[in-house]
Amino acid sequence: MPHVVTQACCGDASCVYACPVNCIHPTPDEPGFGTSEMLYIDPSTCVDCGACVSACPVGAIVPGHRLTDEQARFTDVNAAHFDPTGDGAARFPVDPARRLPLAPIDKPHQLAVDAPVSVAIVGSGPSAMYAADELLRQPQISVTVYERLRRPFGLARYGVAPDHLATRSVMRLFDDIAGNPRCDIRLGTTIGRDLTLDDLRARHSAVIWAGGAPTDRRLAIDNASARGVHSATALVGWYNDHPDHDDLDVDLTTASRAVVIGNGNVALDVARILTADPETLADTTISRHALSALRSSSIDEVVVLGRRGPTHAAFTLPELIGLVDHGANVVVDPDELAQVPAVAPADATTRAKLDLLAEVAGRTPRGGRRIRLAFHRSPAAIEVGTDGRATGVVVAHNTVDDSGTITPTGTTETIDAGLVLTSIGYRGVAVPGLPFDDALGVIPHEAGRVVDDGTPVLGMYVTGWIKRGPSGFIGTNKTDSAETVASLLADLEAGLLPDRGGPRRRRMLSRLG
């Protein structure tokens, strides 16, 4: 029985290169790779060899006969992306000529440089560690990672839900990278406080900025900063023991309902944690203060709001499947699906989302804590009580056309809630000494080279969310970082980088063989 990619897929494509028959798509060189919600195994091509299982850093690939009941739906999810209509048409065509007898393993390019080279990386999240991994393939290069927190790996440690154990296991890969004797991680080091950017540039031949997108997009409505209103990111940090959010004022005892504004994967994560049986979280890495608060929580409903309809929902299909099939009490009002166009979307992923939402809407309601997915509602204001604490969210009802354009209907309602969480995206912040595109919230670059008014800043590079914006998944950073490192190595060989490691002797490499 073919292997199946399941919910935990991080998209780093290690499995693609391990597969001897080219059955895992999209590959990094295919157009859909950067936007795909996960990778998929073609069941008609898979030879069940298991090479992908060993390559996957998060254990997301499972032999078909070993799927749990909660994973069973992913068999159809994988297959639908290769034959979405059932007529034999393939979403990712597989050319038999490309089905190689052995896995396509590329040897690292041999640098035309002999002398030791030192590279600094600012940040230790996924993009930083993937960049370090690429650099350390060259024996001449040593890497120093500067991390302001006392524990490394950024989003992988502090941004992934504590009950997503498979996804969090990517930190084992990062531990292996950090264990390289040519990799030094300096924790508790803030650039701008302990060291300046100029200090790094004086110490190292090149600097890669991998600082991520550390702030949230702000909600521009009345009382958005009232007590009881937090970003979902802050709540995630609170229950993941992020030191920046240890003292977050999270009151779970004075109201029975929470509202999450936005319906991406982070929104579903926080809704699931707030409604889960706390005892199921006790053996995870959840912070002890968060676990204690959840044990005394009075919240019995979390409403997740989306401005548009189900067709344009921001959450991914794998996340929705994980939510629905792992025991969460999810509720969808059948009327919410009435505005869905009668013509089924051509995209297999969107079609599967709608089918699953319709299945949920048709279920008999059950008691207990629940998550209600609500659509066609835009936040208009936060209502507050006499003590200044949030008491509800005023929402405006919308209609949405096929292009996703929102039109208010003129109808409003107030959803009572004592806890309001905003989950409408992330944003990068300017770095002193580096150019910044304030409109996009990124450091401008060309293939990872930092540019200022179109001119490369020699020796400065960027990777991750601060490079491309807050998009993709943990594994997306692998190809992103590979592009940046390729630019750095090309500049190194061209003699464009300053020498910080003693005399450097270039050698001619044989072009033969």
Side-chain angles (χ1 to χ4, degrees):
M1 181 177 288
H3 283 58
V4 177
V5 182
T6 63
Q7 180 188 357
C9 177
C10 70
D12 85 343
S14 296
C15 56
V16 171
Y17 300 109
C19 177
V21 294
N22 193 33
C23 76
I24 305 175
H25 296 265
T27 66
D29 58 349
E30 290 174 332
F33 179 78
T35 57
S36 181
E37 294 188 349
M38 57 182 282
L39 304 183
Y40 308 90
I41 292 178
D42 181 358
S44 67
T45 308
C46 176
V47 295
D48 211 22
C49 68
C52 54
V53 175
S54 300
C56 178
V58 295
I61 303 177
V62 181
H65 65 281
R66 293 183 181 174
L67 291 169
T68 65
D69 290 343
E70 292 83 5
Q71 296 171 325
R73 207 183 295 264
F74 284 97
T75 299
D76 292 337
V77 170
N78 280 250
H81 277 262
F82 296 93
D83 189 8
T85 62
D87 62 3
R91 177 182 173 99
F92 303 117
V94 180
D95 181 354
R98 296 177 63 194
R99 298 181 186 178
L100 305 178
L102 296 173
I105 300 174
D106 294 328
K107 293 182 178 179
H109 167 70
Q110 187 179 5
L111 282 179
V113 172
D114 280 328
V117 178
S118 176
V119 176
I121 300 177
V122 180
S124 68
S127 64
M129 298 312 297
Y130 281 123
D133 190 35
E134 286 289 323
L135 288 166
L136 292 168
R137 296 172 190 270
Q138 305 295 337
Q140 305 94 321
I141 295 179
S142 61
V143 173
T144 303
V145 177
Y146 297 89
E147 169 56 58
R148 73 176 183 89
L149 299 176
R150 293 293 180 181
R151 303 182 76 189
F153 309 148
L155 180 69
R157 182 181 302 278
Y158 294 115
V160 178
D163 57 341
H164 280 179
L165 302 180
T167 305
R168 294 180 68 86
S169 68
V170 73
M171 286 191 284
R172 291 201 293 264
L173 170 64
F174 299 157
D175 271 328
D176 289 342
I177 296 168
N180 189 303
R182 288 180 287 113
C183 182
D184 180 21
I185 298 185
R186 300 188 180 183
L187 302 175
T189 304
T190 299
I191 305 307
R193 183 194 66 189
D194 303 307
L195 292 169
T196 67
L197 188 58
D198 286 342
D199 290 335
L200 296 189
R201 298 184 72 179
R203 293 182 180 190
H204 304 279
S205 295
V207 178
I208 299 177
W209 196 275
T215 63
D216 297 271
R217 291 176 56 197
R218 297 303 176 188
L219 190 62
I221 61 175
D222 288 345
N223 300 317
S225 59
R227 292 174 60 204
V229 180
H230 307 286
S231 72
T233 305
L235 189 80
V236 170
W238 174 74
Y239 61 60
N240 273 334
D241 241 348
H242 194 300
D244 290 352
H245 303 293
D246 278 347
D247 58 354
L248 193 69
D249 178 22
V250 181
D251 183 0
L252 303 180
T253 62
T254 59
S256 62
R257 181 184 292 120
V259 168
V260 184
I261 298 171
N263 63 5
N265 285 355
V266 174
L268 296 195
D269 273 346
V270 297
R272 188 185 68 258
I273 295 297
L274 287 173
T275 57
D277 177 353
E279 300 315 311
T280 65
L281 301 171
D283 291 333
T284 71
T285 58
I286 193 168
S287 68
R288 297 302 97 177
H289 59 262
L291 183 62
S292 176
L294 289 169
R295 281 173 168 155
S296 59
S297 173
S298 62
I299 289 177
D300 57 28
E301 181 180 66
V302 177
V303 180
V304 179
L305 295 179
R307 293 188 303 154
R308 295 181 172 83
T311 303
H312 301 95
F315 52 74
T316 63
L317 177 59
E319 191 72 15
L320 180 63
I321 291 173
L323 185 71
V324 170
D325 288 350
H326 282 76
N329 186 9
V330 184
V331 176
V332 177
D333 186 335
D335 291 342
E336 297 276 15
L337 305 179
Q339 295 186 45
V340 173
V343 178
D347 178 68
T349 299
T350 302
R351 194 164 60 249
K353 282 184 190 178
L354 294 176
D355 288 345
L356 183 50
L357 289 171
E359 177 186 321
V360 171
R363 292 179 177 177
T364 301
R366 59 186 172 93
R369 291 178 172 175
R370 66 179 189 170
I371 299 168
R372 178 158 65 94
L373 303 181
F375 303 95
H376 304 110
R377 290 169 173 82
S378 294
I382 305 296
E383 287 199 340
V384 298
T386 56
D387 61 353
R389 182 175 286 277
T391 61
V393 182
V394 180
V395 298
H397 289 222
N398 307 313
T399 59
V400 184
D401 64 21
D402 291 345
S403 68
T405 301
I406 296 173
T407 303
T409 65
T411 300
T412 63
E413 69 170 311
T414 300
I415 303 174
D416 293 336
L419 176 64
V420 180
L421 303 169
T422 62
S423 185
I424 57 174
Y426 300 87
R427 179 178 170 80
V429 297
V431 177
L434 291 179
F436 189 70
D437 185 330
D438 193 60
L440 298 178
V442 298
I443 294 174
H445 72 96
E446 293 178 359
R449 297 178 178 92
V450 174
V451 296
D452 191 0
D453 289 331
T455 301
V457 180
L458 292 181
M460 285 301 311
Y461 303 85
V462 63
T463 188
W465 279 3
I466 194 64
K467 170 188 173 184
R468 68 180 187 273
S471 63
F473 308 97
I474 286 177
T476 310
N477 292 289
K478 184 172 183 175
T479 49
D480 183 288
S481 295
E483 178 190 57
T484 296
V485 171
S487 295
L488 187 157
L489 296 182
D491 292 347
L492 177 64
E493 290 191 303
L496 299 178
L497 300 185
D499 184 356
R500 307 298 188 205
R504 180 182 300 141
R505 178 171 56 86
R506 299 187 78 248
R507 69 176 185 274
M508 295 300 294
L509 295 179
S510 171
R511 301 299 179 187
L512 303 178

